[in-house]
Amino acid sequence: MLWNDNHYEEKTNNPTDEDIHTRVEQLRQQANAAVGAKKYTQACELYTQAIQLAPCAILYANRALARTKMEEYGYAYMDACKSIEWDPKYPKGYYRRAVANFALGKYKAALEDFKKVLQLVPHDADAMAKKKECERRIREQAFAKAIDSDAVKPLSLFETMDYHSIVVEDSYQGPRWEQEENISESFCYELIEYLRNQGKLHKKYLIKLLVYAKRYFDQLDNIVTYQVKESGITVCGDTHGQFYDLLNIFQLNGYPSCDNPYLFNGDFVDRGSFSVEVIVTLLTFVCYDPLCMLLNRGNHESKNMNKIYGFEGEVKAKYNETIYSLFAELFESLPLGHLLIGNEKGMRKQVLVIHGGLFSRDGVLLEDLQRLDRHREPDQGLMAELLWSDPQKEWGWGISKRGIGVSFGPDVTRRFLDANQIALLVRSHEMKEKGYEVEAENRLITVFSAPNYCDQMGNLGAYIRFSSTLEPQFYTFAQVAHPNIPPMAYASSGLGSMGLV
């Protein structure tokens, strides 16, 4: 950035209380060091202590950056607004707010703030680039809205796609799927090894895979009922394109089969730079045996998230725009949850597995979720809350730290589960230090399966083994090595990372 930060002394240097100023300065430097060490939760706590002593534009803007790093865009937005209130001429306040709005897909609001930055700091190259990116996104949204109107409803790409005519070159060294029946077991293992060695499934077989998978998903309910067998089931959380950690799960827990089924609870893609390999592997097992691989949709199985966090860019780099469009359409066919059915002492027991969380009101029943139109972007209503919400320790409801969905308390969890005769809610959506967390009087579990998230968070990954009685057993694991391609290698340039002060 080109601007200078000279507002701190003006706002916090009170000559009558030098001790407070000294303490705030210490806290600010400690918080900045925590951001540098990627300890963002600690940084937020330190900035909060400083703000309680002497609030100012810089402290709020710095905390907004830390919260952006934790994907808490709702909180980052509020901090940026506070920064602007304290100093309407502080460019980084507008910049932080623009980045938060951009991450939430609110491109028009982001554009206005990037324009404000350029008024305060003319010719800043970073702000100019992000302004242009916002303008491009706004044009894309307008075009998409135009072609999605009732008058001009486009055909599904799946209805017009003919993979039969695509020629597979003799030079292709990967596994081949020429027959019309389901994928064989040997194909699954050959493909995994081919992908492990950074091979790329031929586009003919990838398109065929997407066609077969979508045909299957379109038959399913929004909330799929699954009877857990004697052998049990493994539930995994976010994998976020960490393909080599996905393979490690299979190494530790066994490959998917009819006697070793898996449920992956959304956010297969984005951030990690091997998202194509993750989703191709999961879909391959679906097409081998759909009862050995169950998938739920996450908030990152959506166009806006894919555009920002890398999956769209990765698919276009490894294949082309048409194949990305097929993925985007396929994601809209994914079910929103699974209701696991087991028996404990002869009594029916139910566990609901969904990606995000619960709702902004009581009284929501499974029947209401079954009636939702899931073939769309999850940007409003019950579907957005199901994919975006997070639990909180306090009772009742709170503002979403993400800017979408809500925060819901243990009492909200209890009332929803009791109303639907469900014993336990399992969700993902949040990184946890040990890979999982149990809360809400042991009736809510968060599971997260991307260890050392984005190669920087230092967390463990976890998965849950459920027995036929639906008793959970937790397993944790650390990150394994992967090829030297960093996370976010294909991500949008619209998320800035401005320096701290």
Side-chain angles (χ1 to χ4, degrees):
M1 290 302 186
L2 298 181
W3 56 75
N4 293 317
D5 292 282
N6 54 10
H7 301 72
Y8 183 74
E9 294 292 332
E10 297 172 10
K11 293 292 180 181
T12 65
N13 188 12
N14 184 343
T16 63
D17 202 344
E18 188 173 338
D19 289 342
I20 289 179
H21 169 66
T22 300
R23 179 58 181 152
V24 169
E25 178 63 16
Q26 290 173 344
L27 289 166
R28 182 181 66 85
Q29 291 181 6
Q30 291 170 8
N32 289 359
V35 171
K38 300 173 182 176
K39 297 178 179 179
Y40 303 118
T41 301
Q42 179 185 346
C44 283
E45 292 170 357
L46 292 165
Y47 287 133
T48 299
Q49 292 177 39
I51 286 169
Q52 289 170 346
L53 290 171
C56 69
I58 285 175
L59 291 174
Y60 279 114
N62 283 3
R63 192 171 68 178
L65 182 144
R67 284 174 160 172
T68 295
K69 293 291 187 181
M70 294 192 295
E71 302 179 34
E72 296 181 351
Y73 300 116
Y75 285 175
Y77 172 85
M78 290 189 285
D79 273 348
C81 289
K82 282 287 189 182
S83 177
I84 292 165
E85 284 179 24
W86 273 91
D87 188 348
K89 293 185 178 181
Y90 184 50
K92 285 187 182 177
Y94 296 99
Y95 192 107
R96 305 281 197 250
R97 190 167 71 180
V99 169
N101 276 321
F102 186 95
L104 294 168
K106 300 177 180 179
Y107 302 126
K108 290 183 179 179
L111 176 61
E112 292 308 308
D113 278 336
F114 283 131
K115 286 179 178 177
K116 185 66 175 178
V117 171
L118 289 169
Q119 288 176 13
L120 295 167
V121 192
H123 312 302
D124 182 80
D126 186 75
M128 283 194 289
K130 290 176 173 57
K131 172 179 169 290
K132 289 179 181 178
E133 180 66 14
C134 283
E135 290 168 341
R136 186 176 72 82
R137 296 291 176 87
I138 291 167
R139 290 194 299 270
E140 286 179 354
Q141 283 184 333
F143 177 73
K145 186 176 181 181
I147 65 173
D148 198 37
S149 65
D150 292 336
V152 194
K153 192 70 174 176
L155 277 175
S156 164
L157 264 179
F158 285 90
E159 295 176 25
T160 61
M161 189 58 60
D162 177 23
Y163 58 83
H164 298 89
S165 61
I166 300 175
V167 175
V168 179
E169 303 82 1
D170 292 339
S171 59
Y172 173 67
Q173 299 297 309
R176 294 172 180 257
W177 178 21
E178 301 295 353
Q179 73 279 9
E180 283 305 314
E181 60 263 24
N182 281 358
I183 284 171
S184 67
E185 185 178 26
S186 61
F187 181 94
C188 295
Y189 297 131
E190 288 175 30
L191 178 61
I192 282 175
E193 291 309 309
Y194 189 61
L195 297 177
R196 189 199 302 271
N197 294 312
Q198 300 184 67
K200 187 174 73 172
L201 182 63
H202 195 278
K203 65 180 179 181
K204 174 177 181 174
Y205 305 134
L206 176 54
I207 293 171
K208 185 178 178 181
L209 181 70
L210 295 172
V211 169
Y212 273 52
K214 185 174 188 301
R215 188 182 301 160
Y216 170 70
F217 291 136
D218 281 342
Q219 303 171 30
L220 301 178
D221 291 335
N222 289 342
I223 308 295
V224 179
T225 299
Y226 179 85
Q227 181 72 48
V228 178
K229 298 191 299 183
E230 193 66 31
S231 56
I233 188 171
T234 300
V235 177
C236 298
D238 305 33
T239 49
H240 274 300
Q242 296 186 197
F243 175 62
Y244 295 86
D245 295 309
L246 170 67
L247 298 189
N248 188 40
I249 293 173
F250 294 156
Q251 197 71 34
L252 295 169
N253 191 60
Y255 283 92
S257 69
C258 61
D259 293 322
N260 190 31
Y262 283 80
L263 168 53
F264 280 83
N265 194 24
D267 281 13
F268 325 117
V269 302
D270 281 339
R271 293 200 172 274
S273 295
F274 304 95
S275 293
V276 167
E277 289 79 1
V278 168
I279 188 62
V280 165
T281 298
L282 298 180
L283 293 177
T284 297
F285 278 107
V286 169
C287 291
Y288 161 60
D289 178 358
L291 295 183
C292 85
M293 180 59 71
L294 315 178
L295 302 182
N296 283 342
R297 189 177 184 182
N299 65 302
H300 276 265
E301 279 68 60
S302 63
K303 293 174 185 174
N304 184 54
M305 293 294 102
N306 295 165
K307 190 175 290 292
I308 295 171
Y309 292 101
F311 184 61
E312 179 180 340
E314 183 181 343
V315 176
K316 289 179 178 178
K318 294 178 179 178
Y319 291 98
N320 55 46
E321 186 168 356
T322 298
I323 288 180
Y324 170 69
S325 296
L326 289 170
F327 270 116
E329 198 173 333
L330 172 82
F331 288 161
E332 294 187 349
S333 295
L334 288 169
L336 303 179
H338 277 75
L339 186 67
L340 306 182
I341 308 297
N343 287 283
E344 186 175 35
K345 298 178 180 178
M347 301 291 291
R348 177 185 170 103
K349 187 176 180 182
Q350 299 186 138
V351 170
L352 179 64
V353 185
I354 55 176
H355 179 72
L358 298 179
F359 312 100
S360 55
R361 60 179 173 85
D362 284 332
V364 176
L365 302 176
L366 293 180
E367 291 86 346
D368 300 315
L369 304 181
Q370 297 289 23
R371 288 193 289 268
L372 295 174
D373 174 14
R374 73 176 187 262
H375 292 82
R376 61 176 181 82
E377 283 288 279
D379 51 8
Q380 58 183 341
L382 293 179
M383 184 170 159
E385 293 176 350
L386 185 149
L387 294 183
W388 278 93
S389 293
D390 296 290
Q392 63 180 22
K393 305 301 181 186
E394 301 79 16
W395 282 35
W397 290 273
I399 296 171
S400 169
K401 63 187 178 184
R402 300 176 189 268
I404 304 178
V406 296
S407 293
F408 59 96
D411 57 322
V412 177
T413 300
R414 174 176 46 78
R415 290 194 296 270
F416 172 83
L417 294 179
D418 288 350
N420 288 279
Q421 298 181 312
I422 295 169
L424 177 68
L425 177 68
V426 177
R427 43 92 62 180
S428 301
H429 194 44
E430 281 186 289
M431 187 274 291
K432 298 296 179 182
E433 289 296 327
K434 62 179 182 178
Y436 71 95
E437 184 177 359
V438 182
E439 54 190 311
E441 300 173 331
N442 297 321
R443 297 192 72 181
L444 187 151
I445 297 171
T446 298
V447 59
F448 192 82
S449 303
N452 194 25
Y453 183 38
C454 290
D455 287 358
Q456 67 180 34
M457 300 306 292
N459 61 291
L460 293 173
Y463 55 86
I464 309 170
R465 288 280 301 173
F466 279 102
S467 66
S468 59
T469 62
L470 295 183
E471 287 303 311
Q473 215 171 356
F474 302 99
Y475 297 85
T476 62
F477 56 97
Q479 185 184 39
V480 296
H482 62 75
N484 190 25
I485 303 174
M488 303 288 282
Y490 303 95
S492 165
S493 61
L495 288 177
S497 183
M498 314 71 68
L500 293 165
V501 182

